[in-house]
Amino acid sequence: MLIHADADAFFVSVEVRDDPHLRGRPVVVGPQVVACASYEARALGVHAGMPLRHALRRWPELVVAEFRGETYESVSADLMALFREVTPLVEPGSMEEAFLDVSALDGGSVDEAGRIAADLRRRVRRELGLPVSAGVARAKLFAKLASRRAKPDGLVVVDADTEARVRPRLPVADLWGVGPMTAGKLHDAGIVHVADLCGWTVEALVERRIAKPQAKNLVAIRDGTDDATVKLPGPRKSVSSTISLGRPTRQRSRVRESLQHNVIRALDRLGDDPRPATRVDVHLRFDDGATLVSQGALEEPTRDPATLVGVALAALERTAYEDDGRGIVVAGVALALPA
């Protein structure tokens, strides 16, 4: 049995925890682009990715909280550590969500899994001050759908009978990993619900320009043999750091200084990991929400801060950001690591 645990409106929930005066208010976390919106803000129509200035123009009652990347990363680490106290079989999906395999705990029944999920939610609320929604099911798809249905701050348990009844009626557009383009192709083929996949083979779906891995997944979902395995994360492939610059800027000294700090912070986050960096990527976010990545090649793997800073700054110059016309609101680096 699997639990999908997902901290609700993660960035906003951290801000509300640290500033109770924000509770119940339409809060968004910036900068420049909405990174997260409270449920009160979502009720107004605000959504992640919306330019902040547009949101404020339409809903001046919004409360804007500063984006605190280091705080969110620290809370995420605490959240994952708490998940791993329940079971070592944890597959993170993002910084605030994960699948937990609790099949070996207390007999592995759906009722026991539901009890474990309820206890987990209470612990996260008590120890971290965060609301977590959870879904319990046999396979990842239904655990994820259940946690989505449980939001905000709820628990939904899907037993075998419910899964068998609901599975054929699931809209394919709602399936995990099916984007608008794939959904459109399926609809054109007359496939609107999972039940409509009856009689379709992987090869027939591929002929309708569905990618083969997606076609295999769709057939598995139809047959009830979809993914129920938690995959433990291997060694990290990169380590990163980002800094919010506040107001949009193209000031050379500010952007360069932020990248220098980011390189040092990224190296610090490697901790006891002895691997050297093999590449330096510079990430910029502009005030219109657009992002840009510039890669910096290393002659040989290294952890030398001066070398990594030099490569990062050279990658920055190749972006011609000073002549772009837009302002930079977030600057970051990612250090690629060998396998």
Side-chain angles (χ1 to χ4, degrees):
M1 294 300 299
L2 302 181
I3 298 171
H4 182 257
D6 189 357
D8 299 324
F10 181 57
F11 296 165
V12 169
S13 292
V14 173
E15 298 304 325
V16 171
R17 180 197 69 177
D18 294 348
D19 182 2
H21 292 96
L22 298 176
R23 191 175 306 280
R25 303 177 68 184
V27 179
V28 296
V29 173
Q32 307 305 319
V33 174
V34 175
C36 184
S38 69
Y39 284 93
E40 293 81 3
R42 296 179 193 186
L44 297 174
V46 182
H47 58 80
M50 178 179 290
L52 189 55
R53 63 179 182 274
H54 293 170
L56 288 171
R57 188 181 304 126
R58 185 170 180 183
W59 299 286
E61 66 271 32
L62 292 176
V63 180
V64 181
E66 180 183 356
F67 183 90
R68 299 186 294 156
E70 286 193 5
T71 298
Y72 307 141
E73 290 174 7
S74 175
V75 176
S76 172
D78 293 339
L79 182 65
M80 295 302 159
L82 199 155
F83 288 168
R84 292 187 179 94
E85 289 183 19
V86 176
T87 173
L89 303 178
V90 175
E91 180 183 338
S94 64
M95 67 191 308
E96 75 272 16
E97 64 171 314
F99 289 103
L100 292 75
D101 188 336
V102 295
S103 301
L105 303 180
D106 295 329
S109 71
V110 66
D111 291 336
E112 289 300 328
R115 182 190 62 76
I116 293 169
D119 288 344
L120 173 62
R121 294 181 60 246
R122 284 191 289 267
R123 282 196 63 190
V124 175
R125 173 71 79 173
R126 182 176 66 251
E127 299 178 24
L128 300 182
L130 299 177
V132 166
S133 293
V136 175
R138 177 194 60 83
K140 286 181 175 178
L141 170 66
F142 272 86
K144 180 96 171 180
L145 290 173
S147 69
R148 186 186 303 170
R149 177 65 63 88
K151 288 184 175 294
D153 196 18
L155 169 64
V156 170
V157 178
V158 180
D159 59 23
D161 290 341
T162 301
E163 178 183 335
R165 184 175 68 255
V166 172
R167 182 180 291 271
R169 294 185 285 177
L170 287 175
V172 292
D174 291 347
L175 298 181
W176 187 22
V178 174
M181 185 174 296
T182 299
K185 294 175 183 178
L186 291 169
H187 288 176
D188 289 344
I191 302 171
V192 178
H193 297 90
V194 169
D196 299 327
L197 287 162
C198 183
W200 285 84
T201 63
V202 171
E203 292 73 19
L205 289 170
V206 170
E207 289 179 2
R208 299 300 299 237
R209 296 183 294 119
I210 304 298
K212 191 168 185 178
Q214 184 65 274
K216 289 182 176 179
N217 184 50
L218 289 168
V219 170
I221 289 173
R222 178 198 66 196
D223 296 340
T225 58
D226 44 307
D227 191 8
T229 303
V230 164
K231 301 175 181 64
L232 299 181
R236 66 173 78 184
K237 297 180 180 179
S238 65
V239 60
S240 62
S241 172
T242 60
I243 293 177
S244 170
L245 302 181
R247 295 179 62 84
T249 184
R250 295 194 299 275
Q251 184 178 345
R252 184 182 183 85
S253 60
R254 287 193 64 198
V255 180
R256 289 171 63 90
E257 182 181 12
S258 72
L259 290 186
Q260 294 176 44
H261 287 325
N262 277 317
V263 169
I264 301 303
R265 287 171 60 188
L267 287 172
D268 287 344
R269 288 174 180 172
L270 277 174
D272 297 331
D273 191 329
R275 292 176 294 166
T278 58
R279 194 183 70 244
V280 182
D281 293 345
V282 169
H283 295 251
L284 302 177
R285 182 186 298 164
F286 296 95
D287 54 4
D288 63 353
T291 58
L292 176 66
V293 178
S294 177
Q295 294 186 350
L298 292 167
E299 293 184 2
E300 59 182 20
T302 183
R303 290 182 68 143
D304 177 60
T307 300
L308 296 172
V309 167
V311 172
L313 294 180
L316 172 67
E317 295 306 315
R318 288 195 293 274
T319 67
Y321 69 98
E322 291 179 287
D323 302 321
D324 184 273
R326 295 172 295 179
I328 297 173
V329 293
V330 176
V333 299
L335 307 180
L337 301 172

